[in-house]
Structure formats: structure tokens, C-alpha cells
Amino acid sequence: MIARTLGVVSLLGLAVTGQARDMTLMETVTAQSVVDVNLSPNGQFTAITKYYPARPYTDKEDSGKTELVIRTANGKETVYLSKEESFSDVEFGPNSEYIYFTAKRDGDDYSELYRIPLAGGGVQSVYEFDGSITAYDLSSDGQSLIFLSTGSRDKDAKKEAEYGFKAEVYEEDLTFRHLYQVDLSQADAEAKQVTADDVQVISAQWSPNDEQLLVRTAPTPLIDDYYMSSQYHIMSSKGETVASIPTEGKLGKAEFSPNGQYVALISAADYNDPSASVLKVYNTQNATIRRVLPDYQGSIQDFTWRTEQELVWLGHRGTESEVKALTLQFLENRDLIDAGEAIFTGLDGSAGVDKIVLRGNRPAHPNEAFELTSRGLDRLTVSNPWLEEVTMPKQETITYKARDGLELEGILVYPTDYQEGEKYPLIMVIHGGPESHYSNGWLDRYSSPVKHAAAQGYALFFPNYRGSTGRGVEFSKLSQNDYAGKEFDDIVDGKQHLVDMGLADETRVGITGGSYGGYASAWGATAQTEHFAASVMFVGISDNLSKFGTTDIAKEMNAVHARSYPWDKWQWYLERSPIYHAEKARTPILIMHGKEDTRVHPSQSMELYRYLKTHGNVPVRLVLYPGEGHGNRHMAAQLDYSIRLMRWMDSFLVEQAEEKPPFAIDHIKQIK
């Protein structure tokens, strides 16, 4: 393979000298980004929340920090909450006088509500509750507060545990989150519970006239009910249901229009739609609901009201994003930001303000803050100036046809020093879901270190196989009732397309992914083993029979994936499981999993490992991460994962080894 000449490059990428500037694995997992952007009601202030990951080997606390910056309309920036302070739920007050947030400060037992005057001044306590405040909203005059909380900790349970009584009753001993209201104008006022004890509250907001509430509820706190059984209700301030908005299946954001006549919401098209990706508007006066972008062949990500009759919406279509303004009266759209500017992942605006703020990324940088005005689109932040030094590989969207003629898209990243006519090792990165998709933006993750791998001479391909979002509801349903069928054939067809292009070396193709992408990686190493020379499976599925019995989303699996139950067709479920094909496996597979994963239980990885180990036909390794769930949150675990991923691919795609690389990584030498 072709590799660039470097002066010094360690495995961890901790020292790089010489003319070339490649991105290291350390930089991949510690790149900074903007995680939230909010616009004040008067449009004069923008709140930007910046994320600073912890640095492995340096920081003992293995969690990142956030910083709150307020930017004025004339571009002046002030840090209101530093990286040394822990906070969340940042919101502007109704009159743009304060910025609010929740935090534990000064010995708080629970997360409470605070504010800072935008005109200047210190942090002020707003309300303290006997339990953590997890979300909140203020009335238009700022005097009436609603918030969500699970209440105080169970002190009796803590005492029982001290004496060894720690039994857990599965899916019965549940802690509900309730909605509370308190009048801040009264000194020492106590919050009153608004919703019933047996209702889980997911979100709540005031109507513009402060007379009603928009509340999303679910029958239980279980994640399956959050996905498949939640509903928006319009309630009185006392919690009486005035109307329930008729929707089925998954739900996303909802928001009152400026005068309260409408509620816009993102929802599933129907109960079997795998994602909340269509935009609907509910008329509170006649209790009707309509899908306002009925023919949109994409996925709605976010929206904001500009006037009572105009919505600004953000959509992902194919591998790009677009922002448009929709006039409700005529259902006409006008372009605000064309596809190709950036991959926007969120936006915010205020009624009557001719400005929106956005969060977005490009192939050359992670999420940053942007601002759209009549003057055009401006980028507000540069979180990683060192990226200017990094040599960026070519990245583009390509199309190819599946064996049945279906046209598919994917994102191809070329080796940094790509030369036409050369064949390169290829890493195929498969997204999870499958109700997800790759956009042509920043793809670097600990599980897909794009810039680092491209600099080492790899090509990378991110296919949006059938069942992906971003191409309309019908396309996202194409993989249902066909586990590991045509959806995974699409991946092989994508590989073959790159081989036919003359880019990929057919004998040096690897596959990796997490969750459903981990399932694809396991399937590629077993049932489709002839196509792949290496596999790295992360939090993936190996046995569809036991998966149903051990996951926390069994209802969702039936409704939007399998469309059946295991007892409907036992043999079919078994044959669509990688363990069924374990004996034929010839692809070396590295299996990694979080030990506390409730979505895909770690037993899924243990099963496949044991089957492959017993057959003894192929190198296999299982790595478990204590304290991690369905994906690694801690930076040390992310870096460890990246090192193991690249070591496995290097061994079997570059060196074409027959034996596993060493399992040990000497982290201790790097700890400062």
C-alpha cells in the first residue's frame, strides 16, 4: 500500500514530526465541538455550549467538560459558565433578560435551577427542589415555572442496601418522572405535582398565553414505551387533558406556534415507520392534523416557528442537509440554505426575528455554531484550529446499484495520497439502526477514525443500505421483515462496486460497525465470510432469538424491524443469526462490547465468541468494557477501542497475518 513518509509516528499518534500532518487517534477522540446553539427571544444573544472531551492519559476524570459562551449581535463573546463548572439545560428567559441552566452548586444535593443576568451579574438561585430538576419551562412573564423531576432519593432503599438487600425487580420497580408547577412570585412557594403518579412525563412547555401546557407522556419509564407508546397532550395548567394529538409510533420535537393556534411536531408517518422523520401540524382550534411535507423524500431533523404561518425546517435528504421556510397557508417552500453548505444537525430561532442559529459540520470539521441572516450564512466558532494543519482526504457521495437494481448511496473517503490505478485496503463502516444514515460531513469517530485511517493508506466506505433514513418513509421500510437479507447484500454490492472501480483490493476488505452495524459485521464474518478479510463487531447482534428476550426494545423490534415475533418463525430467526453460520466463518473477527449494555446484551457477543472459539476455524477476540453501555462514553474506552480497531485492520488487511495481534496495550507508559 502507499503510505506517506513521516518523521515520527507512534501507535497512539502522540508525536508527529516531518512535513506531513496526519490526524492522530488521540485527536480523533478528543476533537472539540459545539453541542448546542440557542437564540434569545429578541434575537440579540446566541448561547453556544462547547464540549471539551477529557484527554486520556492526562485527565483522571474520564468525562468531558462544557463551556457556555454568550455571543451578542455585534459579535462580542463572553464566557458565562467555564469548563470548571458542571451545568445542563441551558435556555434563555422569556424576556431575554436572563440565561437559565440547571446545576449542582455550593453543596446542592440535587440539580437545581439557576440563572445569570445578561446585563451583568453573578449566578442567582431560581428554585430548589427535593429532587433533581431535569427539564423546565417558564411562563411568558417568568413567574410560573414548570419542571420535570423524579423526586428525592429513596432513603429506605439505601438503608436496606447497606444491610445487603439489593434485589432488583425487573421492569416493575420503576421510578416515574412527574411534572411540577410552582409560582415563583410567591416567597417559599412549594411546587405542586401536575401529572398522575403512574404517568411518565418526557417533556413539557407552556402555551404562548400561559393557559395551557404541551406535555409528552408515556405509560411507563421503559425505553420501549418512550419509543413506541408516547403521545403529546394539550393540558390545562392543572394537568387536565384538553386534547391528545393523534399520532402513532415514534415522536420527536413539538412546539406551539407563536400565537398558540398550531402545534408543529416531528413524528413517524405511522406505527411501523422506523423513525420520527415527518413534519406534521396540529390545529388546536379544530383538532385536525396534517402532514405538511407529504412528498418529502428525506428526513426532518428540526424546525422552528418564524411567524404564525411560517415554519423554518431542517431536513436531511440523501447524504446532504437543507434548510427551507414553509408557508402553511399554501404549503410552499423557499430555500434558505442549499444542500452542500454543511450537514446541519439542529437549529433555533425566535418568532418575528429574521435570524436563525444552527449547529453543523463539514468533512473538514466537527459541529460548529452558524448564523443565518439576510446577509447570508456565517460560521461563528472554530473549535479545532489545528485541523487547518491536517491533510484532508477526498470525500464524496457515490451512487451504485444493488443486485436487484435499487439505486443506493454511500460516502467514499479516499486514501490521503490516493493515486488512480492503485488498489487499496478498504474499511466498510456500517451504521446502526438501521433507521439511521450517513451524511457527507464529519465522519470521524472513535469507531471510525477517518482521517487517521486514510492517512495510513486506507479507503473507507459508509453505505446507506436499504432501510436507512434520509430517503423517505418507503425507503426506510425496505429492510423490514428481512433481517440480514437484501439490506446486507447491499453492503456486499457496495464493496463489489468499489472493486470494479479499481479502488479496492478485493482480498483486503474489512467491515465494522456498532449495534445493527455490529450485526452486519458479524454477518459479514460468518454468512458472507468470503467477502471480508477482517471484521470488528461492536455491541452487535449474533442471535436473533435470544436478542428478543434480552433487549429493552422488544416492542420496537417487532413494530419497525422484524414485523413478527420469534415464535412466529423460530427457524427463520435462527438462520438469520450469525451463530447459525459460525462454522463456515473464515474472517478474523474482533468483538467488543459494553458490559452494561441493555439494548444489545453483552451475551450476544459472548455467544458468537464461544461458537467461533469452539469451532476453531478463525482468529477471534472478545473485549468487554466495564461501565459502558450501548457505545463507549468515556474517552479512555474510546481511545482503547480505536487502537484495537486499527491494530486488527492493520494485522489482517495490511500485513495479511494469520495470527491475532497481541491483546495487551501498554497504556501505563502514556499516563502522565
Side-chain angles (χ1 to χ4, degrees):
M1 80 178 188
I2 297 174
R4 289 194 284 165
T5 302
L6 300 178
V8 178
V9 182
S10 73
L11 173 65
L12 302 179
L14 298 178
V16 180
T17 62
Q19 194 168 13
R21 174 69 168 95
D22 298 335
M23 189 163 166
T24 69
L25 291 179
M26 176 69 80
E27 289 170 333
T28 299
V29 301
T30 59
Q32 299 166 15
S33 62
V34 169
V35 294
D36 200 15
V37 187
N38 297 93
L39 185 67
S40 65
N42 64 7
Q44 295 301 303
F45 303 96
T46 300
I48 302 171
T49 305
K50 300 180 178 182
Y51 176 63
Y52 298 83
R55 292 194 63 83
Y57 307 129
T58 302
D59 299 332
K60 286 186 178 181
E61 289 188 15
D62 198 20
S63 58
K65 300 179 183 296
T66 52
E67 178 183 77
L68 176 62
V69 173
I70 303 297
R71 180 186 174 95
T72 63
N74 61 12
K76 180 183 177 182
E77 293 188 358
T78 304
V79 175
Y80 271 60
L81 293 170
S82 73
K83 296 190 292 290
E84 306 311 312
E85 301 177 82
S86 179
F87 61 91
S88 58
D89 299 313
V90 173
E91 298 287 348
F92 283 103
N95 298 315
S96 304
E97 295 179 295
Y98 300 94
I99 188 77
Y100 289 78
F101 62 96
T102 59
K104 286 184 180 180
R105 297 173 63 90
D106 303 324
D108 288 341
D109 291 328
Y110 300 102
S111 184
E112 312 297 356
L113 184 61
Y114 292 90
R115 71 183 184 185
I116 304 175
L118 291 169
V123 174
Q124 302 172 358
S125 176
V126 177
Y127 190 70
E128 182 177 345
F129 185 65
D130 190 19
S132 287
I133 295 174
T134 56
Y136 61 91
D137 193 33
L138 288 155
S139 59
S140 59
D141 61 4
Q143 295 302 305
S144 188
L145 169 70
I146 56 173
F147 63 90
L148 308 185
S149 180
T150 56
S152 60
R153 302 183 189 95
D154 189 336
K155 296 179 181 178
D156 290 340
K158 182 179 180 180
K159 187 172 183 179
E160 287 176 342
E162 292 175 353
Y163 284 84
F165 297 98
K166 301 178 182 180
E168 298 178 2
V169 182
Y170 188 59
E171 293 191 347
E172 288 188 54
D173 187 11
L174 304 174
T175 300
F176 284 79
R177 185 167 54 188
H178 304 301
L179 174 62
Y180 296 85
Q181 180 183 359
V182 61
D183 185 352
L184 298 178
S185 66
Q186 297 182 13
D188 300 323
E190 292 189 5
K192 297 179 180 179
Q193 185 175 319
V194 175
T195 49
D197 289 341
D198 59 351
V199 172
Q200 172 75 355
V201 181
I202 299 170
S203 65
Q205 61 181 268
W206 285 104
S207 64
N209 62 8
D210 299 333
E211 294 179 357
Q212 295 180 323
L213 306 171
L214 179 61
V215 183
R216 182 181 173 188
T217 67
T220 75
L222 297 175
I223 189 67
D224 229 359
D225 282 335
Y226 168 82
Y227 279 143
M228 302 307 303
S229 301
S230 70
Q231 191 171 23
Y232 280 106
H233 309 274
I234 296 175
M235 295 182 175
S236 70
S237 59
K238 295 181 179 180
E240 300 160 337
T241 299
V242 176
S244 296
I245 299 178
T247 57
E248 292 183 289
K250 295 184 177 180
L251 288 173
K253 173 182 176 178
E255 189 175 288
F256 277 112
S257 60
N259 295 335
Q261 180 179 349
Y262 304 104
V263 173
L265 67 153
I266 301 173
S267 78
D270 54 54
Y271 187 72
N272 300 119
D273 185 353
S275 67
S277 60
V278 302
L279 184 61
K280 297 179 180 179
V281 172
Y282 176 77
N283 190 324
T284 63
Q285 294 183 352
N286 58 23
T288 59
I289 189 169
R290 61 174 172 167
R291 187 171 164 182
V292 293
L293 298 170
D295 301 318
Y296 185 58
Q297 297 303 300
S299 175
I300 303 299
Q301 302 294 304
D302 203 355
F303 67 85
T304 186
W305 287 97
R306 180 168 279 178
T307 69
E308 191 69 14
Q309 287 292 325
E310 187 175 77
L311 278 163
V312 174
W313 58 270
L314 161 64
H316 283 193
R317 185 155 55 95
T319 60
E320 300 293 343
S321 72
E322 55 192 357
V323 179
K324 297 179 183 286
L326 171 69
T327 302
L328 288 184
Q329 184 176 1
F330 304 108
L331 295 187
E332 292 179 345
N333 287 285
R334 57 188 174 90
D335 295 337
L336 297 181
I337 304 178
D338 294 332
E341 284 285 347
I343 303 301
F344 295 105
T345 56
L347 57 77
D348 191 37
S350 295
V353 176
D354 189 23
K355 176 197 295 187
I356 60 172
V357 292
L358 308 98
R359 185 179 68 250
N361 61 81
R362 296 182 173 118
H365 65 77
N367 277 334
E368 299 284 8
F370 290 80
E371 177 184 84
L372 178 68
T373 64
S374 58
R375 299 186 301 273
L377 180 69
D378 292 316
R379 178 177 166 185
L380 303 182
T381 57
V382 179
S383 299
N384 305 282
W386 53 267
L387 281 171
E388 296 293 330
E389 306 167 5
V390 173
T391 305
M392 296 291 168
K394 179 183 177 182
Q395 179 174 311
E396 65 179 358
T397 299
I398 66 169
T399 60
Y400 67 97
K401 284 191 175 181
R403 63 193 68 179
D404 63 357
L406 182 66
E407 187 170 278
L408 301 166
E409 292 181 326
I411 300 165
L412 175 62
V413 181
Y414 292 79
T416 303
D417 284 332
Y418 170 71
Q419 295 183 18
E420 190 171 353
E422 283 286 335
K423 292 185 177 181
Y424 296 87
L426 171 68
I427 300 175
M428 300 192 69
V429 186
I430 316 303
H431 68 68
E435 66 275 23
S436 181
H437 65 273
Y438 287 119
S439 295
N440 190 19
W442 182 258
L443 295 171
D444 291 78
R445 307 287 189 274
Y446 71 94
S447 55
S448 57
V450 172
K451 309 294 187 296
H452 177 82
Q456 309 311 310
Y458 287 96
L460 299 97
F461 187 55
F462 298 77
N464 286 333
Y465 52 95
R466 71 189 70 199
S468 302
T469 52
R471 289 184 59 182
V473 176
E474 182 180 353
F475 186 87
S476 69
K477 289 184 176 182
L478 288 179
S479 64
Q480 292 182 355
N481 194 26
D482 192 24
Y483 278 161
K486 292 180 179 179
E487 57 182 359
F488 290 171
D489 289 342
D490 291 346
I491 296 167
V492 172
D493 294 343
K495 169 226 167 180
Q496 190 58 48
H497 178 76
L498 297 176
V499 170
D500 293 342
M501 282 176 55
L503 172 69
D505 182 342
E506 189 167 19
T507 66
R508 296 189 293 166
V509 179
I511 184 171
T512 187
S515 193
Y516 211 80
Y519 177 26
S521 302
W523 190 256
T526 55
Q528 295 175 327
T529 187
E530 67 273 18
H531 297 289
F532 301 101
S535 176
V536 177
M537 167 192 177
F538 186 42
V539 292
I541 303 159
S542 71
D543 181 350
N544 276 307
L545 292 172
S546 60
K547 162 67 160 48
F548 182 84
T550 54
T551 186
D552 58 2
I553 54 166
K555 185 190 298 185
E556 195 246 13
M557 284 173 57
N558 167 261
V560 305
H561 300 306
R563 301 293 292 272
S564 64
Y565 292 107
W567 48 86
D568 295 327
K569 42 186 181 181
W570 293 108
Q571 188 63 26
W572 181 87
Y573 273 78
L574 179 60
E575 291 178 8
R576 297 300 177 100
S577 300
I579 59 166
Y580 185 81
H581 304 274
E583 186 176 4
K584 67 176 89 167
R586 296 297 182 273
T587 303
I589 182 168
L590 171 62
I591 305 169
M592 296 192 274
H593 215 121
K595 286 189 74 173
E596 278 61 63
D597 191 353
T598 58
R599 190 65 31 82
V600 178
H601 196 274
S603 61
Q604 290 290 305
S605 287
M606 297 169 72
E607 281 191 53
L608 183 60
Y609 171 80
R610 186 59 64 202
Y611 274 70
L612 294 174
K613 186 77 172 177
T614 302
H615 283 305
N617 295 327
V618 68
V620 58
R621 172 171 293 151
L622 173 60
V623 179
L624 298 174
Y625 289 98
E628 299 291 355
H630 199 56
N632 289 353
R633 295 181 300 106
H634 298 95
M635 293 302 107
Q638 290 190 8
L639 180 61
D640 184 271
Y641 182 101
S642 295
I643 295 169
R644 295 184 189 279
L645 164 72
M646 293 308 303
R647 180 186 285 183
W648 198 262
M649 294 299 182
D650 287 345
S651 294
F652 294 107
L653 299 187
V654 178
E655 301 166 15
Q656 296 183 293
E658 295 184 358
E659 301 294 331
K660 293 181 289 187
F663 71 85
I665 299 174
D666 195 357
H667 292 300
I668 192 67
K669 286 185 178 180
Q670 307 296 335
I671 295 176
K672 298 179 181 180

